[in-house]
Amino acid sequence: MGLWSFWSFAFLACVLLYAFHPKFVAQAEITFPRTMDRFYRLEVTPPEARVSRKSAEIQVSVKVDNSTKVLKPFQSEADDALKPNNAQQEGNGAHSGMEAPIGIKPNYHNGHRISGKKYGNISEDIQARPSASIMLESANYVRRKKAKRSVGASYSENVDRSISGEAQSKERFVETVQGVSSARAEYRRAGEEARGSNPRQSEPHLDTSTFALSGDSAHNQAMVHWSGHNSSVILILTKLNDFNLGAVTESSLWRSTDYGSTYTKLNDKVGSRTVLMYLYVCPTNKRKIMMLSDPEVESAVLISSDEGASFDKHPINFNILSLLFHPAQEDWILAYSHDSKLYSSMDFGRKWQLVHDNVMPGRFYWAVMGLDRESDVVHIETRIAKGRAQYVKCRAPRCTEGNRQYLFPGHVDTNSLVVQDEYVFTQVTKSGRASYFVSYMRESFKRMKLPKYCLPKDMHIISTDEKQVFAAVQEWNQNNTYSLYISDSPGVYFILSLENLRTNRGPAGNLLVDFYKVEGINGMYLANKLVDYHIKTFITYNKGQTWALLPAPSTDVAGNNLDCILPFCSLHLHLEMSENPYTSGPITSKKSVPGIIVATGNIGTELSSTNLGMFITSDAGNSWRQIFDEEHNIWFLDNGGALLAVLHAATPIRHLWISLDEGKKWDRHSFSLAPLYVDGVLMEPESDNHIITFFGHFSHRSEWQLIKIDYKGLFNRRCMDGDYQTWYLHNKGELCVMGEKQIYMKRRPGNRCMLAQDYSRIYSSEPCLCTAYDFECDYGWERQADGKCSPAFWFNPNGAAKSCSSSQSFLNSTGYRKVLSNNCKEAGRNVYSPRREPCRPRAPRGLRLSTSQGELSAAVGSNVTFTVYLDDGDSLRTSIQLDFGDGIKITYSNLSRTDDGIKHIYRTTGIYRVTASAENSQGSDSSTLFLHITSPVERVYLSAPIVAIRGKEANLTAVVWPSHPRTLTFFWWFDNSSEPIITLEGSISYTFQKEGKNKVTVQVASGSTVMQDSKVITVKEFFRSLLLSFSPALDEHNPDIPEWREDIGRVVRTALSQVSGVPVDQLLVSLYPGLPTTAELFILPDEHTSSEHNRRSEEALERISDIFVTALNQGLVQFELKTDIRIIVYMTQQTLAPLVDSNSIHSGSAMLMLLSVVFVGVAAFFIYKFKRKIPWIHVQTEDSHEKEPEVISTVGQNDSMSKVKLSEFPSQKELMEKELEARTRGGMGRNMERIVTREFPNCTNV
């Protein structure tokens, strides 16, 4: 009994003393809580979604996850006994509130790319790096949306708002929907909140301090920037965005110089009334800061060269939507404006000048150093029409029209230009089928070659790393999936790597592909593939040559055995890339710690969005362990030597987890006295300062809380040589990976020493002998089940060898091409490498001729590029002749000389037969295409008689300017006809069967351009007509346009009616184009006259005609053109109007006319014979130019008129023949006969 009392007392004393001993609370907790806090998720949307939104319209993804028990396999019951029952229940109560989405502003041109570029629709990808400035909106229930690797980010107006450069930069934009000011004093802590005053220095601990941005609790947005490069400066821009007004009404600028321990408000330095909108940091010099003010209040930029210590304000006259900094020159900037104009500044925003207008958003790029000759070169896509654009290259300071280069022949699709590394991509869509083009190392563009029957509907560039292109291609038979294709170095020939990649569309319509490049391991990728309606995760170690399922862990997080056997059960991972640099995303790896991958996933038959846990591999994917059974954000600390885990929480949290042994053991640390709603975590992974900053708020109405965490206390010293160990990279036991055996070095798990940035990760590397899987199947070849490559059914491996043009032998493919960056070496006979073979004589076969863009039409004067392909033949000894069809031929000695295309310019319009011929001693072959050369139709004029005879043909002519022989299509519409008459000629004869007014419309189609002209033709049984001329003064005021001619005709008709008393309805006056001004008067029968009274009506027309002849000859018909300018109308010549019947009256009129003509002829002959004997007679007349209706006269009123001699008049016989011919043709309107009669001079001018 005494012994029992003694031990009872001892045990009680130990428990009481231990409970109050400082050491207990100073130590890091090793156990896991039964109920975990969650780090709430953040909804991701594109920046444009944030413009002018009301708070009620904010998209919110609310999810409150039920916390579950988290155990470690090695957790002991004693550990559980030490925990209070309710110590881990933190803030599970519900809160009301909405969360605005996050918008990421990626840096497209600096730093490592985690996404590719889109082209097809081509859009460039978001490069979601920690350096990118982001927009966060802080609230209680925002679920983090997983953003997949984006290869088609939208280029809307704000996509580049916060380009900030390299990975060392940390800019953040944080938005809180609501908040009320409650001033809080800054307080500091060290270690756990209950820690004693004298903790042991050797124990792992965190030093924390909290700062509240007092006075800005109403501000619901913030942008945060950490200069990096071991700088202690942090800048925070907070704003009040009024969602009802859709505008920012207030802003504050805060600056810290002690890594975030304290902040100073800088509103007085930038102007107390200045409303700041955005913050930019130069990626090549983090000390240079640029801020934009609200253009609605004051359009200006504020510039600092000392990390925000001072600012200079410079006004600008345009609204900046996005900025692009030069990759090398710190003062060079491109700015994109709201009106699609691109500006450049060479002095960091102090002065700006216009580079180009009509620029597509996001489609402008600085020069790539080492590839572009001048560093100030910019690559631009400019919009020229709907769906059409041009690729323009010029130098930013002087991008005038004369200095611009158009490197791609012809137009490209809008939003298709991508300039990335050594490549320039673009797209051209013709006849509904897209063609993709690439320029490698700034050489000429070449069409990208996919397998023949791939027939892509869409293509996205994923990556251009290591001088190779990874592309996601949607084939003709795919709807929701894409296939992965890999190119050769020039990016021309593509082969299939993996089919049916899982894809989705982002909120902006950008393509999201489940494809992930593992950092630090060459040739290692992960992908999610659709297999029998199930999404499964696959891994490759040889750059896509072979893919395998991931093995599942043997036990779960609690240590229970998992009976998951391949291939029926495997591990599946979410491969989305976080578009929010504040979160780690569902998968993460780091170049400085090769082989370690941490990801969110599940175990089973397919990928799921439920029952998710966290998994880790330390041996590059060969084996996996489960570390949490809930989703966490996980970051690498200390250059990858430690792991930081923060739970996804919809409730406030105050703990984080740190592991120093690759996730085998996790230490829990408290970072806040009170639970914090965490909006994000900011860190500088490449620096040695060991600082982390948490952003959030304690309650829905508190101001921003910035918690600085210094985790240097986790380590007790620098790592030495003895602190490292080696490990072998392998693929399921195979040590040769990408052609070499590699041994890596890493810190021994559990050692609490700090890693140096410059320590070598690769311990040794030794090349291996090549195998078949060190090679990929060459273009046109396919991998078979036995691993060998054989030709596809559509591919002829014995095709033309163009390399024969430069030597007597060529390298013939064996069906394999070495995987780029593979370092294997071949021993003995080269089994897989191309073999050199002699060039053997072969007759040319399969000659194909096409234009570079596949077009069969071109504009006159443009440079047409022809390409010639030969499927089979001796290219060295085969001559190529190209007949352009316009009388010019060109001959090449061999096929290789046509590699860059054959250029030719056609000077006239027409359809040309272009023929290519290939010939050698073994035979010949030829290919032909028909090329349409057109020019834009500028004007169409329908030449038609104003009056026509019913039942007789009338000639109609469509005159096109400029002329287009044989390249136009004419559509003739008559009255209410449902179908047109289609001709290839511009003239037609048509018989009108109905009296009255008939409307004729002609449409002229030239390519995609259609123009038309219309005329109204009056159809009668018979009529009379007279040719009219005018006083010369009318020519001086003749603008020669249709409207003017119509108005003058109406005035002349009224004057004739007034003089003669004939009703206006019986008169029509038509003026002819050109100079001198002439017209034709048509006298129509009375509409009320019946058919049986035609004879009397014809006699009436004769009397009316005589009246007009008398009045015109006496100069009685006049009208006033302007004040003091009166125009007299004369009769040029009376025509024999065609009548229905011919009788004695008509014959008498004809005889009278014939006698008049004879008299005029005799008089003309008399004057000609005796003009030299009559010196006082001087005959001068105007040159009556032939009035060709197709050419609008440009003769000015002061142009000299040529003299017409009376000796040049036609004879009496010729005159009679022309009159009779006019009569047989119907004497209608402006036909050739009318033009001929107008060769007579105006008698009044003689």
Side-chain angles (χ1 to χ4, degrees):
M1 184 68 178
L3 182 61
W4 181 86
S5 300
F6 171 80
W7 284 112
S8 299
F9 177 81
F11 178 79
L12 180 61
C14 289
V15 169
L16 293 175
L17 290 174
Y18 192 60
F20 291 97
H21 197 279
K23 178 181 177 181
F24 172 70
V25 292
Q27 295 184 55
E29 297 178 32
I30 301 176
T31 58
F32 278 71
R34 292 180 178 273
T35 304
M36 300 292 291
D37 302 315
R38 290 192 57 80
F39 180 63
Y40 66 82
R41 308 176 185 182
L42 304 173
E43 184 76 19
V44 180
T45 61
E48 59 270 24
R50 290 180 287 97
V51 179
S52 302
R53 295 180 307 180
K54 298 181 180 180
S55 59
E57 298 170 342
I58 297 173
Q59 301 178 4
V60 181
S61 178
V62 179
K63 180 177 180 180
V64 181
D65 296 329
N66 295 325
S67 300
T68 57
K69 182 176 180 180
V70 181
L71 296 175
K72 292 189 63 65
F74 51 82
Q75 185 174 4
S76 64
E77 293 182 3
D79 293 331
D80 263 349
L82 294 176
K83 294 188 300 181
N85 292 334
N86 59 354
Q88 310 303 329
Q89 303 294 332
E90 299 174 351
N92 291 325
H95 294 261
S96 63
M98 285 189 173
E99 182 61 34
I102 299 169
I104 294 188
K105 296 186 168 61
N107 179 352
Y108 296 106
H109 298 267
N110 296 286
H112 176 67
R113 296 175 178 80
I114 64 166
S115 305
K117 317 279 185 188
K118 157 133 178 34
Y119 91 64
N121 256 338
I122 297 184
S123 50
E124 190 174 11
D125 294 59
I126 293 180
Q127 300 168 10
R129 320 184 30 184
S131 63
S133 297
I134 70 167
M135 291 191 174
L136 270 175
E137 298 173 0
S138 159
N140 299 338
Y141 302 118
V142 182
R143 185 181 185 276
R144 177 187 58 79
K145 180 177 180 180
K146 298 172 184 175
K148 299 178 181 175
R149 175 182 295 269
S150 170
V151 294
S154 171
Y155 289 109
S156 60
E157 60 179 12
N158 289 329
V159 72
D160 277 329
R161 274 288 187 197
S162 303
I163 294 179
S164 62
E166 302 170 352
Q168 286 77 7
S169 173
K170 287 291 187 300
E171 296 178 25
R172 303 293 183 263
F173 190 105
V174 186
E175 299 183 0
T176 302
V177 176
Q178 293 181 359
V180 177
S181 175
S182 58
R184 293 178 180 270
E186 182 227 346
Y187 62 91
R188 295 174 177 270
R189 309 175 47 252
E192 297 295 322
E193 59 272 19
R195 185 173 182 165
S197 58
N198 295 308
R200 295 185 181 179
Q201 294 300 319
S202 61
E203 297 296 337
H205 65 278
L206 304 178
D207 291 328
T208 66
S209 64
T210 301
F211 189 92
L213 300 184
S214 301
D216 287 348
S217 59
H219 290 192
N220 53 12
Q221 294 180 342
M223 298 184 70
V224 185
H225 163 68
W226 192 346
S227 289
H229 296 296
N230 296 320
S231 172
S232 61
V233 175
I234 299 178
L235 293 174
I236 301 178
L237 172 63
T238 64
K239 300 181 293 183
L240 173 58
N241 192 349
D242 191 323
F243 293 103
N244 293 317
L245 298 177
V248 175
T249 57
E250 296 179 15
S251 67
S252 296
L253 181 63
W254 300 80
R255 184 172 186 262
S256 172
T257 59
D258 52 9
Y259 294 102
S261 296
T262 60
Y263 290 85
T264 303
K265 202 170 187 177
L266 303 180
N267 282 25
D268 293 339
K269 291 189 177 182
V270 299
S272 57
R273 296 186 178 181
T274 300
V275 178
L276 299 176
M277 294 290 292
Y278 298 99
L279 182 151
Y280 296 85
V281 181
C282 175
T284 54
N285 184 355
K286 300 302 181 62
R287 295 180 59 84
K288 290 191 173 183
I289 311 294
M290 178 180 292
M291 306 191 74
L292 303 182
S293 63
D294 185 355
E296 299 294 332
V297 179
E298 177 188 23
S299 185
V301 295
L302 290 88
I303 299 172
S304 173
S305 299
D306 50 12
E307 296 184 283
S310 62
F311 285 91
D312 296 326
K313 183 181 294 185
H314 299 271
I316 57 176
N317 58 2
F318 62 97
N319 183 10
I320 296 178
L321 294 184
S322 62
L323 291 180
L324 179 62
F325 292 88
H326 193 276
Q329 300 292 334
E330 61 186 49
D331 290 335
W332 294 4
I333 309 174
L334 293 177
Y336 186 73
S337 68
H338 65 288
D339 54 355
S340 301
K341 294 181 179 180
L342 186 66
Y343 296 84
S344 68
S345 174
M346 299 298 175
D347 55 5
F348 202 74
R350 293 170 176 83
K351 296 178 182 178
W352 298 89
Q353 66 181 51
L354 179 65
V355 177
H356 208 293
D357 55 3
N358 293 323
V359 177
M360 294 301 296
R363 301 298 174 175
F364 48 91
Y365 308 85
W366 276 114
V368 177
M369 307 308 295
L371 293 174
D372 295 292
R373 293 183 179 180
E374 295 85 11
S375 57
D376 58 355
V377 162
V378 290
H379 304 267
I380 309 170
E381 180 187 302
T382 62
R383 180 176 50 246
I384 58 175
K386 183 178 180 180
R388 298 168 65 190
Q390 273 187 321
Y391 168 32
V392 180
K393 178 182 176 181
C394 63
R395 302 182 67 177
R398 43 186 178 276
C399 191
T400 58
E401 183 61 38
N403 295 324
R404 295 170 184 169
Q405 293 179 277
Y406 300 91
L407 301 181
F408 186 84
H411 303 141
V412 302
D413 294 351
T414 54
N415 287 317
S416 69
L417 178 67
V418 174
V419 180
Q420 183 170 317
D421 298 327
E422 296 86 1
Y423 303 91
V424 179
F425 302 97
T426 192
Q427 170 185 317
V428 178
T429 300
K430 300 295 182 183
S431 302
R433 180 178 294 183
S435 298
Y436 306 95
F437 296 85
V438 61
S439 168
Y440 178 62
M441 302 297 289
R442 302 302 185 263
E443 296 178 353
S444 59
F445 280 88
K446 298 183 183 300
R447 189 189 300 268
M448 300 166 68
K449 300 282 188 177
L450 292 163
K452 187 173 182 178
Y453 295 107
C454 168
L455 305 178
K457 296 190 295 185
D458 193 17
M459 176 186 286
H460 298 257
I461 302 302
I462 298 177
S463 169
T464 56
D465 294 339
E466 301 173 355
K467 295 186 178 181
Q468 188 173 31
V469 180
F470 283 70
V473 178
Q474 188 173 47
E475 302 180 24
W476 66 273
N477 56 350
Q478 293 178 319
N479 294 319
N480 299 319
T481 61
Y482 280 64
S483 294
L484 177 67
Y485 281 84
I486 304 176
S487 78
D488 55 357
S489 282
V492 175
Y493 292 97
F494 285 77
I495 61 170
L496 178 65
S497 174
L498 187 67
E499 291 183 300
N500 295 324
L501 281 174
R502 181 198 185 199
T503 61
N504 206 339
R505 292 284 174 179
N510 51 308
L511 184 71
L512 309 175
V513 180
D514 273 16
F515 181 78
Y516 180 77
K517 182 182 186 299
V518 178
E519 299 295 334
I521 303 294
N522 183 28
M524 184 176 176
Y525 296 87
L526 294 166
N528 283 330
K529 176 183 177 179
L530 179 64
V531 181
D532 297 331
Y533 305 102
H534 297 291
I535 301 296
K536 299 176 181 291
T537 301
F538 288 80
I539 188 171
T540 179
Y541 293 88
N542 49 17
K543 227 172 190 179
Q545 300 315 297
T546 56
W547 295 84
L549 292 169
L550 292 180
S554 57
T555 60
D556 62 12
V557 69
N560 302 316
N561 290 329
L562 298 174
D563 296 326
C564 184
I565 302 175
L566 291 173
F568 310 103
C569 175
S570 61
L571 175 64
H572 310 286
L573 305 177
H574 286 272
L575 305 180
E576 302 91 346
M577 296 297 297
S578 174
E579 294 184 355
N580 175 13
Y582 270 128
T583 61
S584 64
I587 184 169
T588 181
S589 61
K590 192 175 179 63
K591 187 176 181 179
S592 60
V593 281
I596 297 182
I597 308 171
V598 186
T600 303
N602 65 280
I603 299 171
T605 58
E606 65 176 335
L607 182 67
S608 172
S609 58
T610 60
N611 299 321
L612 297 177
M614 300 303 298
F615 300 86
I616 190 171
T617 176
S618 301
D619 57 2
N622 286 280
S623 63
W624 294 81
R625 291 178 285 109
Q626 186 174 5
I627 53 176
F628 296 106
D629 61 1
E630 289 184 292
E631 292 183 73
H632 285 67
N633 274 292
I634 296 182
W635 293 268
F636 290 99
L637 304 179
D638 186 39
N639 298 307
L643 294 174
L644 166 67
V646 178
L647 186 70
H648 293 309
T651 56
I653 61 175
R654 60 191 183 97
H655 295 106
L656 55 83
W657 302 84
I658 293 179
S659 174
L660 300 177
D661 56 1
E662 301 172 351
K664 294 182 178 65
K665 183 179 68 173
W666 293 86
D667 299 336
R668 191 185 73 167
H669 300 267
S670 177
F671 62 87
S672 175
L673 287 175
L676 180 76
Y677 290 101
V678 179
D679 295 317
V681 178
L682 176 67
M683 66 180 61
E684 198 61 39
E686 304 299 331
S687 65
D688 290 329
N689 53 40
H690 299 88
I691 301 295
I692 310 171
T693 302
F694 275 57
F695 298 91
H697 50 282
F698 291 128
S699 69
H700 199 53
R701 297 181 178 274
S702 68
E703 62 277 291
W704 296 105
Q705 305 294 327
L706 306 175
I707 301 179
K708 170 190 172 184
I709 302 174
D710 188 341
Y711 63 88
K712 192 174 184 179
L714 298 176
F715 311 103
N716 50 24
R717 57 185 173 82
R718 290 276 182 180
C719 290
M720 308 297 290
D721 291 343
D723 294 313
Y724 298 99
Q725 70 179 35
T726 59
W727 65 279
Y728 288 84
L729 175 64
H730 65 96
N731 175 11
K732 298 179 178 62
E734 173 56 51
L735 295 179
C736 288
V737 177
M738 287 297 287
E740 58 185 341
K741 297 178 181 179
Q742 299 180 75
I743 302 177
Y744 288 87
M745 186 169 60
K746 63 180 179 181
R747 187 180 61 189
R748 294 183 184 277
N751 283 3
R752 290 194 294 113
C753 62
M754 289 181 290
L755 292 174
Q757 288 192 32
D758 56 351
Y759 88 92
S760 176
R761 273 72 178 176
I762 300 179
Y763 181 75
S764 67
S765 177
E766 177 185 350
C768 301
L769 295 179
C770 292
T771 65
Y773 289 102
D774 292 313
F775 292 80
E776 56 196 10
C777 292
D778 207 345
Y779 176 77
W781 299 69
E782 296 176 348
R783 184 85 67 179
Q784 302 303 313
D786 59 0
K788 296 181 179 180
C789 296
S790 61
F793 74 92
W794 52 265
F795 181 72
N796 179 15
N798 297 318
K802 293 187 177 182
S803 58
C804 276
S805 60
S806 58
S807 63
Q808 298 298 319
S809 62
F810 69 100
L811 289 174
N812 192 17
S813 175
T814 60
Y816 299 86
R817 69 185 187 192
K818 195 172 184 179
V819 175
L820 291 178
S821 69
N822 187 293
N823 296 318
C824 75
K825 64 179 182 180
E826 295 188 67
R829 186 169 64 92
N830 295 335
V831 179
Y832 306 104
S833 297
R835 298 190 183 99
R836 184 162 295 279
E837 297 182 3
C839 296
R840 298 182 180 89
R842 298 193 307 274
R845 291 290 182 270
L847 183 68
R848 290 175 289 137
L849 173 65
S850 66
T851 60
S852 60
Q853 299 184 33
E855 293 273 354
L856 294 178
S857 65
V860 63
S862 64
N863 210 334
V864 182
T865 302
F866 296 95
T867 55
V868 180
Y869 302 95
L870 187 62
D871 291 337
D872 190 16
D874 185 0
S875 60
L876 177 64
R877 300 175 180 84
T878 300
S879 64
I880 302 294
Q881 184 184 79
L882 192 61
D883 184 349
F884 297 108
D886 59 352
I888 300 177
K889 299 180 181 179
I890 189 170
T891 303
Y892 294 90
S893 59
N894 56 59
L895 187 63
S896 66
R897 297 183 179 273
T898 67
D899 283 349
D900 295 331
I902 305 171
K903 295 179 172 57
H904 185 67
I905 297 177
Y906 290 89
R907 301 297 181 184
T908 58
T909 59
I911 302 176
Y912 295 89
R913 181 190 184 103
V914 186
T915 303
S917 302
E919 184 177 1
N920 61 21
S921 59
Q922 304 298 313
S924 62
D925 196 8
S926 64
S927 178
T928 301
L929 64 80
F930 296 91
L931 185 66
H932 293 239
I933 301 298
T934 63
S935 62
V937 175
E938 298 182 9
R939 195 178 307 165
V940 175
Y941 173 78
L942 176 58
S943 174
I946 194 173
V947 181
I949 298 294
R950 184 178 69 85
K952 292 190 176 182
E953 285 188 346
N955 295 326
L956 310 175
T957 302
V959 183
V960 179
W961 189 88
S963 62
H964 289 64
R966 303 180 301 160
T967 60
L968 302 177
T969 304
F970 299 84
F971 301 85
W972 304 87
W973 301 85
F974 295 93
D975 274 345
N976 298 322
S977 58
S978 58
E979 294 184 358
I981 298 175
I982 303 174
T983 66
L984 298 178
E985 298 293 335
S987 61
I988 188 175
S989 295
Y990 186 78
T991 301
F992 295 92
Q993 302 296 339
K994 183 182 68 174
E995 281 198 64
K997 296 185 181 298
N998 292 263
K999 185 176 181 180
V1000 180
T1001 299
V1002 60
Q1003 291 183 321
V1004 182
S1006 176
S1008 60
T1009 303
V1010 178
M1011 301 188 73
Q1012 72 177 34
D1013 191 19
S1014 299
K1015 288 289 189 296
V1016 176
I1017 299 176
T1018 302
V1019 179
K1020 294 293 183 180
E1021 292 284 346
F1022 54 86
F1023 63 88
R1024 278 287 188 180
S1025 68
L1026 300 173
L1027 288 177
L1028 307 178
S1029 60
F1030 303 90
S1031 302
L1034 186 61
D1035 293 344
E1036 300 177 3
H1037 299 85
N1038 184 351
D1040 205 9
I1041 59 175
E1043 294 87 345
W1044 183 87
R1045 292 193 290 269
E1046 291 177 4
D1047 288 339
I1048 295 297
R1050 177 176 46 79
V1051 172
V1052 172
R1053 186 178 63 169
T1054 303
L1056 289 169
S1057 177
Q1058 292 174 352
V1059 170
S1060 63
V1062 177
V1064 175
D1065 294 342
Q1066 286 188 250
L1067 304 178
L1068 290 176
V1069 177
S1070 174
L1071 270 73
Y1072 296 125
L1075 295 176
T1077 307
T1078 56
E1080 188 166 7
L1081 167 64
F1082 295 91
I1083 308 170
L1084 308 179
D1086 189 354
E1087 294 182 354
H1088 303 289
T1089 302
S1090 59
S1091 59
E1092 58 267 17
H1093 298 93
N1094 281 343
R1095 180 175 297 276
R1096 281 183 289 175
S1097 178
E1098 292 172 8
E1099 294 175 353
L1101 290 186
E1102 289 288 346
R1103 291 193 298 270
I1104 294 174
S1105 177
D1106 294 340
I1107 293 173
F1108 282 134
V1109 169
T1110 302
L1112 291 169
N1113 287 336
Q1114 295 178 2
L1116 300 179
V1117 181
Q1118 302 180 10
F1119 64 91
E1120 186 177 86
L1121 183 67
K1122 289 185 177 181
T1123 305
D1124 299 330
I1125 299 179
R1126 294 195 65 80
I1127 304 299
I1128 301 176
V1129 184
Y1130 304 99
M1131 187 189 74
T1132 301
Q1133 178 187 357
Q1134 185 177 13
T1135 63
L1136 290 176
L1139 300 177
V1140 176
D1141 298 318
S1142 179
N1143 53 27
S1144 59
I1145 297 178
H1146 303 148
S1147 301
S1149 301
M1151 182 60 67
L1152 179 61
M1153 175 60 66
L1154 181 60
L1155 292 175
S1156 301
V1157 170
V1158 170
F1159 175 77
V1160 172
V1162 171
F1165 177 78
F1166 176 80
I1167 293 174
Y1168 175 73
K1169 284 295 184 179
F1170 298 99
K1171 64 180 179 179
R1172 294 186 179 180
K1173 298 181 180 181
I1174 310 176
W1176 48 269
I1177 294 181
H1178 179 70
V1179 180
Q1180 182 177 2
T1181 182
E1182 295 178 348
D1183 179 14
S1184 60
H1185 303 283
E1186 283 196 26
K1187 297 183 182 294
E1188 297 184 11
E1190 64 271 24
V1191 180
I1192 304 301
S1193 174
T1194 59
V1195 179
Q1197 61 191 26
N1198 296 324
D1199 291 349
S1200 60
M1201 300 296 181
S1202 60
K1203 298 181 179 179
V1204 178
K1205 299 179 181 180
L1206 294 179
S1207 60
E1208 298 175 357
F1209 286 2
S1211 64
Q1212 299 177 13
K1213 182 178 180 181
E1214 292 173 343
L1215 177 62
M1216 180 60 71
E1217 290 175 351
K1218 292 179 180 180
E1219 290 293 340
L1220 293 176
E1221 184 179 358
R1223 179 166 184 167
T1224 58
R1225 288 202 169 190
M1228 296 177 297
R1230 284 199 60 241
N1231 51 27
M1232 183 57 69
E1233 290 69 39
R1234 282 288 181 239
I1235 296 175
V1236 171
T1237 59
R1238 291 176 57 207
E1239 292 178 354
F1240 291 98
N1242 189 336
C1243 297
T1244 60
N1245 293 336
V1246 177

